[in-house]
Amino acid sequence: MSTAALEPAPDTADVPELVVGFDLDMTLIDSRPGIQAVWDLLSAETGVPIDSDLVVSRLGPPLTWEMANWFPPEQVDAMVTRYREHYPAHAISGSLPLPGVAEALATIRALRGRTMVVSAKYTPSVRLHLEHLGLDVDEPVGDLHGAEKGTALREHHATVYVGDHTADIDGAHAAGAVAVSVATGPFTADELRAYGADVVLNDLTEFPAWLEGYVLEQRLEALMRRLSSYDKMVVAFSGGADSAFLLAAAARAIGPANVIAATAVSPSLPAAELEPAARFADSLGVRHVSPHTHEMDREGYQANSGARCYFCKAELIETLQPIADEFGITAIATGTNADDAIAGFRPGIRAAFERGALTPLRDARLTKDEIRTASRSWGLETSDKPAAACLSSRIAYGIRITPNLLARVDRAEQTVRAKLASYGVENVRVRDLGENASIEIDAALLDRVDHQELVDAVVAEGFTTAQVDPRGFRSGSMNERLPEPEKYRNL
C-alpha cells in the first residue's frame, strides 16, 4: 500500500469554511491614543491647528478623507505620506487591544475557522498593530473602506464581518456576509441596528457566545439536511459520543425505523461498551445489530504499524456492507468529526472513504466540542462520555497485536477505573509497552490517588512492571514514544 493511499479523504463539507473578518480601529484595538499622538505631531510640525480629539472621535473613513479636513487638496498626499512616516514610531505602542479580542480569535480557532482583518488603514500599519499586540490573524488587508471591503471579504470567502462603523456594515453586505456590529466606535447600538446590522453586540466580549451559537446552528442545519436526503441509513455505532450523536440525529432526520445502529464486536472493543451501546440504540427506537468483525485476520492489522487503523476501518465497512444490502440501504455513515479530519495521520478515514462510507458530522464541520454541546441540548446521556479509542490504540507500534494482549489491557483498564470510581475519574488508559505498562489517568487526579495501588492492580492483570505517567492522560500519547515515527507511518 502506498503512503498516498493513507492520506485523509478529500474535503466534502456541506457548509462553507468559517472565515471571520474584523475591522481594526475600535473593533479589535483602541488606536485612539496613538493616532492622536501622530496628529498632534503633524500639527506641531506644520503649524496647522488640528483638533485631534475630533479626529479620533470619528475613526473609520480613509486617512485622505480626514486629512482633507485640515489641509488644502494639493497638500493632502504629502501630509498622508508624512503621517505614515511618523506612524510606526508614535502610534503602534500606544494602542491597546479592546476587551474580548483574544477570546474572540481563540473561539474562531476552536471552531476550525480562519481570520482576517480588513481595514481602511494603511496595510503596513495594520500588520504592525497586529504584530505588536500578538494578535494571530491569518490575513491582514488594508486600504479598503465601506463597500470596497466586500472585495477582500469575497476573495477570502468570509462568512462573517465584524466592525464598529456603518461603513463596515456596507462592507459585510457587499460580500454577502453576516454584518456583526460592536458598539465600541462612533455609533451607538441603536444607530448600528437602524443602519442594517444583522447582529449588534455591546463589545467583543459578547462575540464568542454569539459565534458559537450561530455556527452550531448553521452546522446542525447542514447535518440535518444531509441526513434527510437519505431514505435509510446504517450508522457505524461504537457507543462513543460522536457516533451516538450521529445516530440520534439520523433518527430525528429520517425516523428511527429507517436507521440501523451497528456495533462491531471484536477483541478490540472494550467489553463494557457493548451493553450501553445496545441500550442507547433502544432508547432511540433504533434497531441495533452487533456483527463480529475479524480485523485480527488481517496481517496489516496484526503487524500494528502506523497503518493499523486502515485495516480496521476497512474490515468494519466491509462487514457492514452486507447488512446494508440485506435491508436495501445504500448509506453507511461513520462518526468521524471535523477534528478527526485534521488530527494528523488518520488512515482509517481514507479506508472508509474508499469504501463509500459517509461522514455527515465531518461534512457539517461539527467539532468534538460542538457535538458534545448539541448532545447536551438534546439530553443525550453520551454528551460527556470520555473518548474511548479501540483497545489496539493502547499497544505500542511494532508490537504484534493478539487477542490476549487486548484482553490484558481491557482488564487492566477496568480494574484501574473501578479503583478510581469514587474520584469521578473520566479518562483511563493502560498503554502496553511490551511487558511494561504506562498508566494514564486524568491529570487532576495525579496528586490525589495512591499510585502504588494502581501499579499493583495493573501488574496483577499480567504486566511485569507498570508506572503512572506523571503527565496524565493524553489522547494519542503512544505516538510520543516513537523515536522514528516515520518508520511506522510511511508504510
Side-chain angles (χ1 to χ4, degrees):
M1 186 188 317
S2 70
T3 304
L6 297 179
E7 294 174 355
D11 187 4
T12 56
D14 293 330
V15 290
E17 180 185 17
L18 174 64
V19 181
V20 180
F22 293 91
D23 176 49
L24 184 64
D25 293 333
M26 302 314 299
T27 297
L28 290 181
I29 67 173
D30 184 352
S31 52
R32 291 174 299 184
I35 289 175
Q36 188 163 19
V38 177
W39 280 97
D40 288 341
L41 183 61
L42 201 61
S43 177
E45 188 175 84
T46 62
V48 174
I50 299 174
D51 186 347
S52 59
D53 288 328
L54 177 60
V55 171
V56 298
S57 72
R58 57 191 186 195
L59 297 180
L63 177 59
T64 53
W65 294 16
E66 186 61 52
M67 200 67 72
N69 293 322
W70 309 102
F71 295 92
E74 65 273 14
Q75 295 182 25
V76 166
D77 288 346
M79 289 300 101
V80 165
T81 298
R82 190 62 178 145
Y83 176 96
R84 288 173 173 170
E85 290 172 349
H86 286 308
Y87 200 92
H90 298 277
I92 303 302
S93 61
S95 299
L96 298 171
L98 287 168
V101 170
E103 293 79 4
L105 296 177
T107 298
I108 297 166
R109 295 287 183 224
L111 294 170
R112 303 302 178 195
R114 292 189 294 113
T115 56
M116 63 185 304
V117 164
V118 186
S119 171
K121 189 182 294 296
Y122 186 46
T123 301
S125 296
V126 172
R127 294 181 184 275
L128 286 174
H129 277 296
L130 297 176
E131 291 170 2
H132 175 72
L133 295 174
L135 300 181
D136 182 19
V137 173
D138 295 308
E139 188 67 35
V141 179
D143 302 298
L144 294 175
H145 176 66
E148 294 176 342
K149 292 185 174 184
T151 303
L153 294 170
R154 282 195 306 273
E155 179 184 349
H156 293 278
H157 309 290
T159 50
V160 175
Y161 184 60
V162 186
D164 64 282
H165 201 282
T166 55
D168 298 325
I169 299 173
D170 293 336
H173 287 167
V178 177
V180 178
S181 292
V182 286
T184 48
F187 295 94
T188 67
D190 287 341
E191 289 171 332
L192 293 165
R193 193 174 293 109
Y195 192 82
D198 298 308
V199 178
V200 178
L201 307 173
N202 289 316
D203 55 39
L204 279 181
T205 63
E206 299 177 358
F207 181 75
W210 172 82
L211 185 67
E212 288 171 345
Y214 170 77
V215 170
L216 180 56
E217 180 181 1
Q218 298 295 307
R219 292 175 177 178
L220 288 177
E221 288 178 358
L223 173 66
M224 299 307 282
R225 283 196 304 271
R226 167 62 74 94
L227 294 175
S228 296
S229 69
Y230 298 98
D231 295 328
K232 298 179 181 179
M233 177 173 286
V234 173
V235 173
F237 177 45
S238 67
D242 298 331
S243 60
F245 178 71
L246 175 60
L247 187 64
R252 288 186 175 208
I254 59 178
N258 297 312
V259 181
I260 293 178
T263 304
V265 177
S266 78
S268 65
L269 176 74
E273 293 293 324
L274 184 58
E275 191 278 329
R279 188 175 63 247
F280 182 86
D282 184 63
S283 72
L284 298 175
V286 170
R287 182 184 187 124
H288 184 252
V289 298
S290 51
H292 286 261
T293 54
H294 303 282
E295 57 267 26
M296 284 291 178
D297 294 342
R298 301 194 179 218
E299 171 58 27
Y301 183 86
Q302 283 192 355
N304 193 22
S305 74
R308 183 194 65 239
C309 293
Y310 182 94
F311 302 101
C312 180
K313 194 68 74 173
E315 173 70 17
L316 172 64
I317 302 304
E318 290 173 15
T319 298
L320 299 187
Q321 189 61 60
I323 296 173
D325 294 342
E326 177 185 351
F327 290 94
I329 299 174
T330 59
I332 299 174
T334 73
T336 300
N337 64 47
D339 290 334
D340 295 332
I342 65 169
F345 189 74
R346 290 295 182 100
I349 294 177
R350 168 60 66 181
F353 176 79
E354 289 175 349
R355 287 156 181 78
L358 307 172
T359 54
L361 302 179
R362 176 195 183 190
D363 297 343
R365 298 190 187 276
L366 284 160
T367 66
K368 170 70 81 173
D369 284 346
E370 287 180 314
I371 289 166
R372 291 193 185 279
T373 297
S375 295
R376 281 191 289 273
S377 71
W378 288 7
L380 302 183
E381 63 187 53
T382 52
S383 63
D384 295 315
K385 186 174 182 179
C390 81
L391 291 172
S392 296
S393 67
R394 277 72 149 174
I395 311 298
Y397 287 127
I399 297 178
R400 193 170 183 83
I401 293 175
T402 68
N404 286 340
L405 289 186
L406 297 179
R408 181 171 69 170
V409 166
D410 193 16
R411 292 195 310 271
E413 286 193 359
Q414 290 188 54
T415 299
V416 172
R417 187 172 291 279
K419 289 188 174 296
L420 299 180
S422 62
Y423 292 91
V425 68
E426 292 185 2
N427 295 291
V428 171
R429 293 289 187 274
V430 174
R431 308 291 189 185
D432 187 335
L433 309 180
E435 288 309 308
N436 180 39
S438 177
I439 306 166
E440 295 179 14
I441 62 175
D442 299 318
L445 298 182
L446 288 171
D447 295 333
R448 300 173 53 199
V449 302
D450 184 341
H451 288 203
Q452 190 59 50
E453 183 181 7
L454 301 183
V455 167
D456 292 344
V458 169
V459 169
E461 296 299 341
F463 288 94
T464 302
T465 59
Q467 62 281 322
V468 176
D469 191 320
R471 293 166 294 180
F473 167 75
R474 299 173 318 289
S475 181
S477 67
M478 200 63 86
N479 296 335
E480 302 169 5
R481 300 179 181 276
L482 288 173
E484 300 178 86
E486 296 307 315
K487 173 182 176 182
Y488 297 97
R489 292 172 181 268
N490 294 336
L491 299 177

